Short mmCIF file of all heavy atoms in Angstrom, two decimals:
data_model
loop_
_atom_site.label_atom_id
_atom_site.label_comp_id
_atom_site.label_asym_id
_atom_site.label_seq_id
_atom_site.Cartn_x
_atom_site.Cartn_y
_atom_site.Cartn_z
N ALA Z 235 -12.56 18.71 -16.16
CA ALA Z 235 -13.66 18.71 -15.07
C ALA Z 235 -13.70 17.44 -14.30
O ALA Z 235 -14.62 17.16 -13.60
CB ALA Z 235 -14.98 18.97 -15.83
N GLY Z 236 -12.67 16.61 -14.40
CA GLY Z 236 -12.62 15.34 -13.65
C GLY Z 236 -13.12 14.18 -14.38
O GLY Z 236 -13.13 13.03 -13.79
N GLY Z 237 -13.46 14.30 -15.65
CA GLY Z 237 -13.96 13.18 -16.49
C GLY Z 237 -12.78 12.54 -17.25
O GLY Z 237 -11.57 12.73 -17.05
N VAL Z 238 -13.17 11.85 -18.30
CA VAL Z 238 -12.21 11.09 -19.13
C VAL Z 238 -12.07 11.84 -20.50
O VAL Z 238 -10.94 11.89 -20.99
CB VAL Z 238 -12.68 9.70 -19.40
CG1 VAL Z 238 -11.93 8.96 -20.44
CG2 VAL Z 238 -12.74 8.92 -18.06
N GLY Z 239 -13.13 12.40 -21.09
CA GLY Z 239 -13.04 13.00 -22.38
C GLY Z 239 -12.77 11.93 -23.47
O GLY Z 239 -13.05 10.74 -23.22
N PHE Z 240 -12.16 12.31 -24.59
CA PHE Z 240 -11.87 11.38 -25.64
C PHE Z 240 -10.58 10.67 -25.26
O PHE Z 240 -9.64 11.37 -24.81
CB PHE Z 240 -11.75 12.10 -26.95
CG PHE Z 240 -13.10 12.75 -27.40
CD1 PHE Z 240 -13.10 14.16 -27.63
CD2 PHE Z 240 -14.18 12.04 -27.53
CE1 PHE Z 240 -14.27 14.82 -28.03
CE2 PHE Z 240 -15.36 12.64 -28.00
CZ PHE Z 240 -15.39 14.07 -28.19
N VAL Z 241 -10.50 9.42 -25.56
CA VAL Z 241 -9.28 8.58 -25.13
C VAL Z 241 -8.46 8.31 -26.41
O VAL Z 241 -9.02 7.61 -27.24
CB VAL Z 241 -9.60 7.30 -24.32
CG1 VAL Z 241 -8.46 6.53 -24.01
CG2 VAL Z 241 -10.41 7.75 -23.08
N PRO Z 242 -7.22 8.65 -26.44
CA PRO Z 242 -6.39 8.32 -27.60
C PRO Z 242 -6.22 6.75 -27.75
O PRO Z 242 -6.18 6.07 -26.79
CB PRO Z 242 -4.96 8.93 -27.36
CG PRO Z 242 -5.31 10.03 -26.30
CD PRO Z 242 -6.50 9.43 -25.46
N TYR Z 243 -6.09 6.30 -29.00
CA TYR Z 243 -5.81 4.88 -29.33
C TYR Z 243 -4.62 4.37 -28.52
O TYR Z 243 -4.67 3.22 -28.01
CB TYR Z 243 -5.58 4.80 -30.84
CG TYR Z 243 -5.35 3.42 -31.36
CD1 TYR Z 243 -6.14 2.35 -30.95
CD2 TYR Z 243 -4.47 3.16 -32.33
CE1 TYR Z 243 -6.03 1.11 -31.49
CE2 TYR Z 243 -4.29 1.88 -32.89
CZ TYR Z 243 -5.06 0.90 -32.48
OH TYR Z 243 -4.94 -0.38 -32.99
N GLU Z 244 -3.51 5.08 -28.38
CA GLU Z 244 -2.34 4.60 -27.74
C GLU Z 244 -2.55 4.44 -26.27
O GLU Z 244 -1.78 3.77 -25.63
CB GLU Z 244 -1.17 5.47 -27.97
CG GLU Z 244 -1.31 6.91 -27.33
CD GLU Z 244 -0.03 7.79 -27.68
OE1 GLU Z 244 0.93 7.23 -28.14
OE2 GLU Z 244 -0.13 8.97 -27.28
N ASN Z 245 -3.63 4.99 -25.70
CA ASN Z 245 -3.93 4.86 -24.31
C ASN Z 245 -4.69 3.59 -23.81
O ASN Z 245 -4.85 3.29 -22.70
CB ASN Z 245 -4.67 6.07 -23.71
CG ASN Z 245 -3.73 7.26 -23.58
OD1 ASN Z 245 -2.95 7.60 -24.41
ND2 ASN Z 245 -3.93 7.95 -22.40
N LEU Z 246 -5.10 2.85 -24.89
CA LEU Z 246 -5.82 1.64 -24.62
C LEU Z 246 -4.82 0.53 -24.02
O LEU Z 246 -3.71 0.48 -24.57
CB LEU Z 246 -6.47 1.05 -25.82
CG LEU Z 246 -7.44 1.95 -26.58
CD1 LEU Z 246 -8.17 1.16 -27.67
CD2 LEU Z 246 -8.44 2.62 -25.70
N ILE Z 247 -5.16 -0.14 -22.99
CA ILE Z 247 -4.33 -1.15 -22.46
C ILE Z 247 -4.76 -2.60 -22.89
O ILE Z 247 -4.04 -3.44 -23.20
CB ILE Z 247 -4.29 -1.14 -20.86
CG1 ILE Z 247 -3.68 0.28 -20.54
CG2 ILE Z 247 -3.63 -2.21 -20.23
CD1 ILE Z 247 -3.75 0.54 -18.97
N GLY Z 248 -6.05 -2.82 -22.77
CA GLY Z 248 -6.54 -4.18 -23.19
C GLY Z 248 -8.06 -4.34 -23.03
O GLY Z 248 -8.72 -3.46 -22.43
N ARG Z 249 -8.56 -5.51 -23.35
CA ARG Z 249 -10.05 -5.76 -23.21
C ARG Z 249 -10.18 -6.73 -22.09
O ARG Z 249 -9.45 -7.68 -21.87
CB ARG Z 249 -10.48 -6.47 -24.55
CG ARG Z 249 -12.00 -6.69 -24.45
CD ARG Z 249 -12.42 -7.30 -25.81
NE ARG Z 249 -11.95 -8.59 -25.95
CZ ARG Z 249 -11.80 -9.34 -27.11
NH1 ARG Z 249 -12.05 -8.70 -28.22
NH2 ARG Z 249 -11.26 -10.52 -27.15
N ALA Z 250 -11.25 -6.47 -21.26
CA ALA Z 250 -11.56 -7.38 -20.10
C ALA Z 250 -12.54 -8.40 -20.67
O ALA Z 250 -13.65 -8.05 -21.20
CB ALA Z 250 -12.15 -6.53 -19.00
N ASP Z 251 -12.19 -9.65 -20.50
CA ASP Z 251 -13.06 -10.71 -21.02
C ASP Z 251 -13.68 -11.58 -20.00
O ASP Z 251 -14.74 -12.16 -20.15
CB ASP Z 251 -12.20 -11.67 -21.96
CG ASP Z 251 -11.81 -10.83 -23.26
OD1 ASP Z 251 -12.52 -10.08 -23.76
OD2 ASP Z 251 -10.74 -11.19 -23.76
N ARG Z 252 -12.99 -11.78 -18.81
CA ARG Z 252 -13.52 -12.76 -17.86
C ARG Z 252 -13.04 -12.39 -16.43
O ARG Z 252 -11.97 -11.91 -16.16
CB ARG Z 252 -13.03 -14.08 -18.17
CG ARG Z 252 -13.59 -15.27 -17.29
CD ARG Z 252 -13.22 -16.61 -17.90
NE ARG Z 252 -13.70 -16.80 -19.29
CZ ARG Z 252 -14.97 -17.19 -19.56
NH1 ARG Z 252 -15.81 -17.45 -18.64
NH2 ARG Z 252 -15.32 -17.34 -20.85
N ILE Z 253 -14.01 -12.44 -15.47
CA ILE Z 253 -13.75 -12.22 -14.05
C ILE Z 253 -13.10 -13.55 -13.55
O ILE Z 253 -13.65 -14.66 -13.74
CB ILE Z 253 -15.10 -11.88 -13.31
CG1 ILE Z 253 -15.65 -10.59 -13.81
CG2 ILE Z 253 -14.79 -11.82 -11.78
CD1 ILE Z 253 -17.13 -10.43 -13.35
N MET Z 254 -12.02 -13.44 -12.83
CA MET Z 254 -11.41 -14.65 -12.31
C MET Z 254 -11.82 -14.90 -10.87
O MET Z 254 -11.84 -16.10 -10.43
CB MET Z 254 -9.86 -14.45 -12.33
CG MET Z 254 -9.32 -14.12 -13.75
SD MET Z 254 -9.81 -15.35 -15.04
CE MET Z 254 -8.87 -16.80 -14.39
N PHE Z 255 -12.08 -13.91 -10.09
CA PHE Z 255 -12.28 -14.02 -8.70
C PHE Z 255 -13.07 -12.75 -8.28
O PHE Z 255 -13.01 -11.72 -8.80
CB PHE Z 255 -10.96 -14.11 -7.93
CG PHE Z 255 -10.95 -14.03 -6.43
CD1 PHE Z 255 -11.25 -15.09 -5.76
CD2 PHE Z 255 -10.73 -12.80 -5.85
CE1 PHE Z 255 -11.25 -14.94 -4.39
CE2 PHE Z 255 -10.78 -12.64 -4.43
CZ PHE Z 255 -11.01 -13.72 -3.70
N SER Z 256 -13.79 -12.84 -7.13
CA SER Z 256 -14.56 -11.69 -6.60
C SER Z 256 -14.76 -11.80 -5.10
O SER Z 256 -15.08 -12.85 -4.58
CB SER Z 256 -15.93 -11.64 -7.26
OG SER Z 256 -16.62 -10.48 -6.95
N SER Z 257 -14.55 -10.64 -4.48
CA SER Z 257 -14.78 -10.60 -3.03
C SER Z 257 -15.63 -9.36 -2.69
O SER Z 257 -15.40 -8.28 -3.09
CB SER Z 257 -13.41 -10.46 -2.31
OG SER Z 257 -13.58 -10.16 -0.93
N ALA Z 258 -16.68 -9.53 -1.87
CA ALA Z 258 -17.65 -8.48 -1.54
C ALA Z 258 -17.13 -7.76 -0.31
O ALA Z 258 -17.76 -6.78 0.05
CB ALA Z 258 -19.03 -9.08 -1.29
N GLY Z 259 -16.07 -8.14 0.36
CA GLY Z 259 -15.57 -7.56 1.55
C GLY Z 259 -14.60 -6.47 1.42
O GLY Z 259 -14.24 -6.14 0.29
N ARG Z 260 -14.11 -5.98 2.55
CA ARG Z 260 -13.11 -4.87 2.48
C ARG Z 260 -11.76 -5.43 2.06
O ARG Z 260 -10.83 -4.64 1.81
CB ARG Z 260 -12.99 -4.25 3.91
CG ARG Z 260 -14.38 -3.61 4.40
CD ARG Z 260 -14.74 -2.46 3.62
NE ARG Z 260 -13.86 -1.38 3.70
CZ ARG Z 260 -13.89 -0.43 4.71
NH1 ARG Z 260 -14.82 -0.43 5.57
NH2 ARG Z 260 -13.00 0.55 4.77
N SER Z 261 -11.60 -6.76 2.18
CA SER Z 261 -10.29 -7.37 1.76
C SER Z 261 -10.51 -8.68 1.12
O SER Z 261 -11.49 -9.40 1.49
CB SER Z 261 -9.33 -7.59 2.98
OG SER Z 261 -8.30 -8.35 2.74
N MET Z 262 -9.71 -9.10 0.20
CA MET Z 262 -9.88 -10.32 -0.53
C MET Z 262 -9.49 -11.49 0.43
O MET Z 262 -9.80 -12.70 0.13
CB MET Z 262 -8.98 -10.42 -1.83
CG MET Z 262 -7.48 -10.42 -1.54
SD MET Z 262 -6.56 -10.57 -3.08
CE MET Z 262 -4.86 -10.53 -2.47
N LEU Z 263 -8.90 -11.18 1.53
CA LEU Z 263 -8.55 -12.29 2.57
C LEU Z 263 -9.76 -12.63 3.35
O LEU Z 263 -9.69 -13.62 4.01
CB LEU Z 263 -7.43 -11.73 3.46
CG LEU Z 263 -6.12 -11.32 2.81
CD1 LEU Z 263 -5.15 -10.76 3.83
CD2 LEU Z 263 -5.56 -12.52 2.04
N PHE Z 264 -10.83 -11.83 3.30
CA PHE Z 264 -12.08 -12.18 4.06
C PHE Z 264 -12.75 -13.24 3.15
O PHE Z 264 -13.76 -12.97 2.40
CB PHE Z 264 -12.92 -11.00 4.24
CG PHE Z 264 -12.28 -9.90 5.16
CD1 PHE Z 264 -12.82 -8.62 5.22
CD2 PHE Z 264 -11.14 -10.18 5.82
CE1 PHE Z 264 -12.28 -7.68 6.04
CE2 PHE Z 264 -10.57 -9.21 6.64
CZ PHE Z 264 -11.12 -7.91 6.74
N PHE Z 265 -12.39 -14.51 3.34
CA PHE Z 265 -12.98 -15.53 2.45
C PHE Z 265 -14.48 -15.75 2.60
O PHE Z 265 -15.15 -16.20 1.64
CB PHE Z 265 -12.24 -16.90 2.80
CG PHE Z 265 -12.51 -17.40 4.18
CD1 PHE Z 265 -13.61 -18.29 4.42
CD2 PHE Z 265 -11.67 -17.15 5.17
CE1 PHE Z 265 -13.81 -18.68 5.72
CE2 PHE Z 265 -11.90 -17.61 6.48
CZ PHE Z 265 -12.98 -18.42 6.78
N TRP Z 266 -15.08 -15.32 3.75
CA TRP Z 266 -16.49 -15.44 3.96
C TRP Z 266 -17.31 -14.47 3.06
O TRP Z 266 -18.45 -14.57 2.91
CB TRP Z 266 -16.82 -15.32 5.42
CG TRP Z 266 -16.42 -14.06 6.02
CD1 TRP Z 266 -17.14 -12.91 6.11
CD2 TRP Z 266 -15.14 -13.85 6.60
NE1 TRP Z 266 -16.41 -11.86 6.74
CE2 TRP Z 266 -15.12 -12.47 7.08
CE3 TRP Z 266 -14.03 -14.62 6.86
CZ2 TRP Z 266 -14.08 -11.81 7.72
CZ3 TRP Z 266 -12.96 -13.96 7.54
CH2 TRP Z 266 -12.97 -12.60 7.95
N THR Z 267 -16.57 -13.49 2.45
CA THR Z 267 -17.27 -12.52 1.59
C THR Z 267 -17.04 -12.82 0.11
O THR Z 267 -17.45 -12.07 -0.76
CB THR Z 267 -16.74 -11.10 1.86
OG1 THR Z 267 -15.36 -10.92 1.48
CG2 THR Z 267 -16.92 -10.71 3.36
N TRP Z 268 -16.44 -14.00 -0.20
CA TRP Z 268 -16.13 -14.27 -1.58
C TRP Z 268 -17.46 -14.62 -2.33
O TRP Z 268 -18.39 -15.15 -1.73
CB TRP Z 268 -15.29 -15.46 -1.75
CG TRP Z 268 -13.87 -15.23 -1.26
CD1 TRP Z 268 -13.29 -14.06 -0.94
CD2 TRP Z 268 -12.82 -16.26 -1.07
NE1 TRP Z 268 -12.00 -14.26 -0.56
CE2 TRP Z 268 -11.74 -15.47 -0.69
CE3 TRP Z 268 -12.77 -17.62 -1.30
CZ2 TRP Z 268 -10.45 -16.18 -0.41
CZ3 TRP Z 268 -11.62 -18.26 -1.08
CH2 TRP Z 268 -10.41 -17.56 -0.59
N ARG Z 269 -17.54 -14.07 -3.58
CA ARG Z 269 -18.77 -14.27 -4.37
C ARG Z 269 -18.56 -15.51 -5.32
O ARG Z 269 -17.93 -15.39 -6.42
CB ARG Z 269 -19.01 -12.98 -5.28
CG ARG Z 269 -19.27 -11.77 -4.55
CD ARG Z 269 -19.52 -10.65 -5.50
NE ARG Z 269 -19.72 -9.35 -4.89
CZ ARG Z 269 -18.83 -8.33 -4.93
NH1 ARG Z 269 -17.70 -8.43 -5.56
NH2 ARG Z 269 -19.08 -7.21 -4.33
N GLY Z 270 -18.97 -16.65 -4.85
CA GLY Z 270 -18.71 -17.94 -5.59
C GLY Z 270 -19.33 -17.88 -7.01
O GLY Z 270 -18.84 -18.62 -7.90
#
Side-chain angles (χ1 to χ4, degrees):
V238 170
F240 301 120
V241 177
Y243 183 42
E244 67 180 352
N245 282 44
L246 306 188
I247 294 174
R249 186 181 67 201
D251 293 328
R252 189 170 298 276
I253 298 165
M254 304 303 295
F255 169 86
S256 185
S257 172
R260 301 292 295 273
S261 169
M262 66 178 180
L263 300 178
F264 297 170
F265 64 88
W266 57 91
T267 66
W268 293 352
R269 303 181 180 109

